[in-house]
């Protein structure tokens, strides 16, 4: 019962401390740290994400165990890749892994890791080139490593799966809100620009006796001659026409 309470508490703490300006990888590093703290048998955790067809490690609580991820990437097989691509929880001991993923098992044996638990993650990209649309999720996995044999019982595995599933949903939602906020800011800026240009165009028409098309052409030429954006010229004229036309 305490494990459920601790998991809920950790999830609430992460949710309440999330910031829209926090990078995806920084958040995942905090998630990995929380999971290590939640599981008694956990000694370290890493996070794998796919970018296109290429997996990479974007967060780690102990960089000395990064060879575990790299061995899987090189061999194109292993528990974290299986979890990421299948969307299922993968728990394996060193003995089982030796038969199924020999390259990974060799790296684990060298580092003293005896149990692995990989839980799928589905997260948005980091804001630099979403694959198809802005909120399309990327496949990934949270990988938990233990130096103990037969670590991570079914209840603990279920708790980590619940935790990572909730985090995936929270990050996706936060990304959608951030995208919506950015769109709103862009729209407001566009409306402000339109209004400023319309006001400036009216002043130019009145001062120079031009029609609407001629006034806009005048603003465009002024922008080119001064190497300033049309909006800047428009704001300058709207705020104080005398600066441009005199009294």
């Amino acid at each position: 019962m305490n494990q459920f309470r601790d998991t809920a508490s950790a999830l609430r703490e992460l949710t309440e401390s999330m910031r829209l300006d926090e990078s995806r990888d920084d958040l995942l590093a905090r998630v990995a740290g929380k999971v290590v703290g939640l599981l008694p048998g956990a000694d370290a955790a890493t996070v794998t994400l796919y970018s296109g067809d290429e997996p990479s490690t974007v967060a780690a609580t102990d960089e000395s165990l990064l060879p575990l991820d790299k061995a899987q990437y090189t061999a194109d097989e292993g528990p974290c890749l299986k979890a990421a691509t299948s969307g299922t929880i993968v728990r394996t001991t060193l003995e089982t892994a030796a038969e199924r993923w020999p390259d990974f098992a060799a790296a684990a044996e060298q580092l003293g890791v005896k149990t692995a638990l990989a839980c799928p993650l589905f997260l948005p990209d980091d804001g630099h080139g979403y694959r198809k649309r802005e909120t399309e999720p990327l496949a990934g996995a949270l990988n938990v490593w233990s130096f103990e044999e037969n670590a991570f019982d079914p209840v603990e595995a279920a708790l980590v799966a619940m935790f990572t599933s909730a985090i995936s949903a929270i990050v996706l939602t936060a990304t959608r809100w951030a995208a919506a906020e950015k769109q709103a800011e862009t729209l407001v800026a566009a409306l402000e620009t339109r209004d400023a240009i319309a006001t400036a165009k009216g002043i130019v028409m009145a001062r120079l006796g031009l029609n609407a098309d001629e006034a806009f052409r005048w603003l465009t030429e002024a922008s080119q001659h001064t190497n300033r954006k049309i909006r800047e010229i428009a704001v300058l004229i709207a705020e104080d026409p005398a600066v441009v036309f005199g009294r």
Side-chain angles (χ1 to χ4, degrees):
M1 194 67 180
N2 287 338
Q3 286 180 310
F4 283 97
R5 185 167 58 248
D6 292 344
T7 301
S9 177
L11 184 59
R12 182 172 61 252
E13 182 179 330
L14 272 173
T15 303
E16 291 175 348
S17 63
M18 282 179 62
R19 306 185 312 275
L20 289 179
D21 62 344
E22 182 176 24
S23 74
R24 178 204 62 193
D25 294 355
D26 286 345
L27 174 60
L28 292 178
R30 293 204 291 134
V31 170
K34 284 290 185 185
V35 170
V36 172
L38 285 172
L39 297 183
D43 292 294
T46 58
V47 179
T48 295
L49 283 184
Y50 274 87
S51 180
D53 295 328
E54 295 296 323
S56 65
T57 302
V58 299
T61 62
D62 185 348
E63 294 190 355
S64 70
L65 296 185
L66 287 178
L68 290 171
D69 289 349
K70 292 179 181 178
Q72 297 177 76
Y73 305 157
T74 301
D76 196 27
E77 61 178 11
C80 78
L81 300 189
K82 180 65 175 177
T85 56
S86 68
T88 58
I89 303 169
V90 178
R91 177 192 174 279
T92 186
T93 62
L94 186 58
E95 182 179 356
T96 302
E99 301 174 2
R100 191 174 183 184
W101 304 298
D103 291 344
F104 163 73
E109 183 175 15
Q110 186 174 3
L111 293 169
V113 170
K114 297 179 180 178
T115 310
L117 177 67
C119 295
L121 284 170
F122 297 95
L123 299 168
D125 204 341
D126 59 4
H128 303 289
Y130 292 141
R131 291 181 295 175
K132 292 181 182 177
R133 58 181 184 274
E134 200 164 55
T135 56
E136 181 180 358
L138 296 170
L142 173 69
N143 318 302
V144 193
W145 315 111
S146 177
F147 298 131
E148 300 177 8
E149 293 183 357
N150 298 314
F152 315 132
D153 62 33
V155 172
E156 292 172 337
L159 287 174
V160 174
M162 178 186 74
F163 189 85
T164 54
S165 177
I167 285 296
S168 296
I170 290 168
V171 175
L172 282 169
T173 300
T175 301
R176 292 189 180 102
W177 275 108
E181 185 177 48
K182 186 175 181 179
Q183 287 180 332
E185 291 174 353
T186 300
L187 178 59
V188 169
L191 291 173
E192 290 176 347
T193 297
R194 188 192 66 178
D195 290 345
I197 291 175
T199 300
K201 191 165 65 172
I203 293 172
V204 172
M205 291 170 63
R207 289 296 184 105
L208 301 181
L210 304 176
N211 62 35
D213 289 340
E214 292 170 339
F216 185 76
R217 188 159 50 249
W218 186 93
L219 287 171
T220 302
E221 292 173 353
S223 170
Q224 294 172 345
H225 292 157
T226 60
N227 197 29
R228 301 174 72 173
K229 294 180 180 179
I230 291 181
R231 181 181 184 279
E232 294 177 3
I233 299 294
V235 169
L236 181 65
I237 293 174
E239 290 182 347
D240 189 358
V243 172
V244 177
F245 299 107
R247 296 293 175 185

